[in-house]
Amino acid sequence: MSALDDELDYQILKLLQKDGRMSFTEISKEINVAVSTIRHRYINLVEEGTIKIIGRIDPNRIGFNAYASILISVKPKLLMNTILEELGKLPEISFLALVSGDFDIEANVMCRDMEHLNELLIDKIHTMEGIFDTKTNMYMKIYKFAQPDLELAKLSSK
């Protein structure tokens, strides 16, 4: 059973998604459940990997001014896992996924500036064996940067 199959875990996740620093006491008052129950459920959610509490930062406010999506084509395909592993080690990459379409991989990157982005592309990504082609799309201005709405997951399970 996934965490979203349980209504209590779902309510805890929704509250923590709004405020990751919310105390167990505040959560227990909000959903009318004992603090010990909240603590136990929280520990289970963390241990099973459903939730990880982090500080979400605004990249622009701390000096990441070149934010981009890099689409990557791999040839030969047998190098795919090696390339994904190597890309996953790069600290500039904040999102990495296999994709469908003309390219194989999408990597979202956060760099200090255009020079840093060029260094990442030329010195690190383009030098990897098996990277055949790339296409870089710059994010000119970000209008929404958010977590997924848990209500959407709940609706899909009905």
Side-chain angles (χ1 to χ4, degrees):
M1 174 168 81
S2 76
L4 291 180
D5 290 336
D6 182 284
E7 185 61 30
L8 180 56
D9 285 351
Y10 174 79
Q11 290 176 346
I12 294 168
L13 290 171
K14 266 194 81 103
L15 290 171
L16 288 173
Q17 192 175 41
K18 289 179 185 171
D19 180 1
R21 295 181 58 188
M22 185 177 275
S23 72
F24 295 154
T25 302
E26 291 172 301
I27 295 170
S28 72
K29 287 179 183 175
E30 188 80 27
I31 58 181
N32 200 26
V33 175
V35 174
S36 59
T37 301
I38 300 299
R39 184 178 303 108
H40 175 74
R41 293 295 187 106
Y42 172 84
I43 290 168
N44 287 343
L45 290 166
V46 170
E47 286 177 352
E48 69 187 18
T50 300
I51 189 169
K52 182 177 181 180
I53 304 298
I54 60 169
R56 187 171 208 166
I57 58 171
D58 180 339
N60 289 331
R61 290 183 177 260
I62 61 165
F64 289 106
N65 298 306
Y67 193 40
S69 168
I70 303 170
L71 297 170
I72 301 167
S73 180
V74 177
K75 286 186 183 174
K77 300 298 183 202
L78 62 93
L79 293 174
M80 187 74 70
N81 288 337
T82 302
I83 289 172
L84 285 165
E85 192 175 302
E86 290 302 308
L87 289 169
K89 293 176 186 176
L90 296 176
E92 293 90 349
I93 294 180
S94 60
F95 175 82
L96 183 63
L98 287 173
V99 296
S100 62
D102 295 335
F103 290 87
D104 302 304
I105 298 171
E106 179 179 350
N108 288 359
V109 300
M110 289 187 238
C111 296
R112 290 180 306 278
D113 51 32
M114 290 302 294
E115 183 176 339
H116 182 195
L117 177 60
N118 282 328
E119 288 170 7
L120 174 67
L121 284 165
I122 295 166
D123 299 337
K124 295 179 182 176
I125 294 176
H126 288 165
T127 60
M128 290 182 190
E129 181 184 356
I131 292 195
F132 176 73
D133 191 19
T134 64
K135 177 181 179 182
T136 303
N137 295 307
M138 295 294 301
Y139 294 113
M140 304 305 287
K141 184 174 181 179
I142 297 169
Y143 290 92
K144 182 177 180 180
F145 189 70
Q147 293 286 336
D149 185 340
L150 291 181
E151 290 294 327
L152 297 173
K154 192 172 181 182
L155 292 173
S156 69
S157 65
K158 290 182 179 181

